[in-house]
Every structure is written in structure tokens, then in C-alpha cells.
Amino acid sequence: KNEVEQSPQNLTAQEGEFITINCSYSVGISALHWLQQHPGGGIVSLFMLSSGKKKHGRLIATINIQEKHSSLHITASHPRDSAVYICAAHKGDTDKLIFGTGTRLQVFP
Amino acid sequence: NAGVTQTPKFRVLKTGQSMTLLCAQDMNHEYMYWYRQDPGMGLRLIHYSVGEGTTAKGEVPDGYNVSRLKKQNFLLGLESAAPSQTSVYFCASSYPQGLAGIGYNEQFFGPGTRLTVL
């Protein structure tokens, strides 16, 4: 069993829909990242959080340390949001990241 | 600033050939990392470096060597390529944890190198 699990693996949505991607982890972590990988392959960091909630534009990330769970929400989804979203956790107090396998999101007009 | 760059972007090798992938960053980051990404699996850490002249093994180091002779560059070498090393390779860099009270730091990724070993 992976130490960082994401669900769903694949997600399709109509433009405008509210999207939720989930990440669960089974080890103690100090911080969690949400990354976006576009079809061209480049990886961009969206959020890094260790507690609570962060918001950037239409993206919202939350984390519940007690439940070992994080969510990434996209409001008013748009076709340009189509990408793979990756959850990654700092295990313990190290700088090394453990990655989930990603959630492939496709948003149709 | 260019951020993190990788050379080459694509490469095809025959089994047994050698090659070096170059990663360069212009953000004065102390930490640098090499990952591989394979279908159905998360990114996996190959080797990493916490500063010039230092390297350490990650999760999947076998078959690879690295060097960090200059702070801005991190090289990944394959001495004798095998088909199992067909993958997309990503380099990343970051400040050390805890710098200036930031805590755990964002990693900045390069664009990737797609390597095929025949």
C-alpha cells in the first residue's frame, strides 16, 4: 500500500463544475504539497500546507492532520484546468517528498 | 530567471550506452533532487543533494550516479543504460527546510527529460 494515496485516479467534469480531489496518507508528515502537471509534462507547485486551508484564485487546498487527509478543490472548473494533480508529502521532518500517483482531470466545455 | 533547466529534453539510447543528464538552477537553492516518473507510479527519488559536493541516495538509486561539483548544477549519470531505465526524469531544487522561518519549502521542477532505452 502506498504511503500517499489519491482518489479518484481519473476525473471528468463539465466546465463550471466544482471539483474535489482527495489525498490520504498513512505516515506522519510535516507538510503536504499539491502539484499540477500539464499535458506537456511540466510540474508546478500549487500549494504547500501543514495545517488549515489555503486559497489561490479558484483553487482551495485543505488539510486535516488528525485524519491524515487533504483535499484540493477547484471552483468553476475550466478546460484549462485539465491536468494531472499530484499530492506529495514531507515524511517526518525530512525534505524528501513521497508522491501520490496523481489524479488525471479532464474538463470539457 | 530561467528557474530549473534540464538538458537534453529527449534521448534514445541503446542498452549498455552511457549518458549524463544535466540539471541547472539559477535560484541559488541548496537542495537539488533527481526523480523518475513512470506510468501508474508516483515520482520516485533517485538521488539528492543538500549542498555543493554532497550527494545521497534516494528511493531508487541503483544504476545511477550523480555529482554536484557546482551549487547550480546537478548531474545524473547512467553508466550502462538498461530498458528498465526508460522513464521521464525530473530535476527539482529547493531551499533547505526551515530557511527564514518558511518551514518546508516548495520544490521547483525542471521540464523533464524523456529517455528511452532500446
Side-chain angles (χ1 to χ4, degrees):
Chain A
K1 189 178 189 296
N2 291 340
E3 292 174 307
V4 176
E5 297 270 0
Q6 287 185 238
S7 63
Q9 286 188 318
N10 295 285
L11 187 54
T12 58
Q14 289 296 123
E15 183 172 356
E17 285 185 4
F18 182 83
I19 305 290
T20 296
I21 299 170
N22 296 299
C23 176
S24 298
Y25 50 91
S26 56
V27 294
I29 72 166
S30 46
L32 186 134
H33 296 252
W34 281 101
L35 309 167
Q36 180 190 57
Q37 184 171 27
H38 272 281
I43 299 173
V44 176
S45 178
L46 298 174
F47 295 103
M48 184 180 65
L49 63 168
S50 54
S51 64
K53 175 180 171 179
K54 287 190 175 180
K55 184 175 189 292
H56 181 69
R58 295 180 295 106
L59 302 178
I60 303 166
T62 63
I63 188 167
N64 185 317
I65 297 294
Q66 286 74 27
E67 295 186 3
K68 295 187 175 179
H69 182 269
S70 176
S71 293
L72 176 68
H73 305 286
I74 305 175
T75 61
S77 59
H78 190 276
R80 65 174 174 265
D81 296 326
S82 298
V84 175
Y85 292 85
I86 301 169
C87 165
H90 282 286
K91 185 176 177 180
D93 61 356
T94 72
D95 276 284
K96 289 180 280 186
L97 289 172
I98 305 171
F99 293 82
T101 55
T103 295
R104 184 175 299 277
L105 171 67
Q106 288 185 294
V107 181
F108 294 99
Chain B
N1 289 351
V4 181
T5 59
Q6 291 183 231
T7 310
K9 288 185 170 51
F10 304 93
R11 186 72 186 268
V12 178
L13 289 178
K14 294 182 179 178
T15 297
Q17 287 186 318
S18 64
M19 77 164 294
T20 300
L21 282 69
L22 170 64
C23 176
Q25 53 94 5
D26 60 3
M27 295 173 283
N28 203 33
H29 285 164
E30 290 292 332
Y31 288 16
M32 297 186 75
Y33 314 81
W34 275 108
Y35 297 98
R36 60 178 288 172
Q37 185 178 41
D38 301 296
M41 304 185 76
L43 284 147
R44 292 181 293 169
L45 182 64
I46 303 171
H47 285 280
Y48 66 102
S49 168
V50 299
E52 182 179 321
T54 70
T55 63
K57 293 180 180 180
E59 184 184 352
V60 288
D62 293 342
Y64 304 95
N65 56 75
V66 288
S67 65
R68 183 103 181 264
L69 299 179
K70 293 183 179 180
K71 185 177 183 179
Q72 63 267 34
N73 295 338
F74 195 28
L75 278 64
L76 177 71
L78 286 72
E79 289 187 349
S80 179
S84 61
Q85 294 177 304
T86 294
S87 188
V88 180
Y89 291 86
F90 286 95
C91 175
S93 69
S94 72
Y95 288 114
Q97 66 184 62
L99 182 69
I102 294 173
Y104 297 91
N105 289 296
E106 176 184 359
Q107 290 189 14
F108 293 82
F109 287 82
T113 295
R114 187 173 293 276
L115 175 66
T116 301
V117 183
L118 302 175

